[in-house]
Amino acid sequence: MILAVSRGVATLVFALPIFAAAALEAAADVTAIERGVVDAVNDARRDRGLPPLTADPRLTQVAPGHSCAMAERGFFDHAAPDGSTMGDRLRAAGVRYRSAGENIARIQSRGDPAVRAVTGWLRSEGHRENILSPRFTATGVGVCQVGRSVYFTQLFLLPR
C-alpha cells in the first residue's frame, strides 16, 4: 500500500493494470474473431472438397489496417478515400502475388460476428467466389471494432 504518495498518483498506479488488462482482453477478442473467420472460411472450403487456406502472417498484418481505416475514417469500401486499393496496400507491405482478392464486411456486434460475416459473404456471389476459389492458397484477416460495429477485411492470395 502506497500511503506517502498523492492520491492522484496512487489512483493512476492502481488504474494502469486495469486499463492494460482491458486492452489485452479487447486484443484477445479481436484475435479470436479473426481466427473464427479463417476457421469458418476453411470449413466452407472443406465442405466443398477444397483445401484449407493457410494463414499468412504478412496478410494478417496488412488486413487490420484497412479495417481500422474504414472504422476510424467512416467509410466502407475496398478503396480508401485517397484512392488506395488492396493492391496498393499489398505492394506497400512488400507482398508479391500472382492473384489476390479481398472481402470486407461491417457487422453490428450481436451474436458471433465472425460467423455472421462469413455467412453474409457466402450469400454474395463475388465474396463467395473469393472464399471458394481454388486458385487462392493463403489468407489473412483483420478486424477492427469501434463501439458495436465490427469491421472486417479478409485478404486472399496466390503468392509468387
Side-chain angles (χ1 to χ4, degrees), residues 41 44-45 48 50 103 118-134 136 156:
V41 162
R45 289 176 63 86
R48 289 156 178 91
L50 295 166
N103 287 352
V118 174
T119 299
W121 287 334
L122 287 170
R123 290 181 180 149
S124 162
E125 184 178 345
H127 295 102
R128 184 175 56 249
E129 185 177 310
N130 281 339
I131 290 171
L132 301 178
S133 174
F136 294 133
F156 300 88

Side-chain angles (χ1 to χ4, degrees), residues 28-149:
D29 289 346
V30 164
T31 301
I33 293 169
E34 291 168 347
R35 252 184 275 139
V37 169
V38 173
D39 290 346
V41 162
N42 280 335
D43 287 346
R45 289 176 63 86
R46 279 188 206 96
D47 289 348
R48 289 156 178 91
L50 295 166
L53 298 171
T54 303
D56 184 318
R58 300 169 306 160
L59 301 180
T60 302
Q61 289 180 347
V62 172
H66 189 58
S67 295
C68 289
M70 288 189 293
E72 293 165 2
R73 295 170 65 195
F75 71 95
F76 182 70
D77 200 319
H78 291 281
D82 66 4
S84 62
T85 65
M86 170 196 65
D88 297 325
R89 294 187 292 276
L90 290 172
R91 280 188 291 283
V95 177
R96 295 178 45 140
Y97 58 91
R98 284 188 244 165
S99 183
E102 177 181 69
N103 287 352
I104 61 173
R106 180 179 52 210
I107 304 291
Q108 293 299 311
S109 61
R110 292 183 311 265
D112 182 341
V115 169
R116 291 185 61 216
V118 174
T119 299
W121 287 334
L122 287 170
R123 290 181 180 149
S124 162
E125 184 178 345
H127 295 102
R128 184 175 56 249
E129 185 177 310
N130 281 339
I131 290 171
L132 301 178
S133 174
R135 76 179 179 269
F136 294 133
T137 60
T139 191
V141 177
V143 169
C144 193
Q145 188 164 5
V146 175
R148 294 188 48 190
S149 295

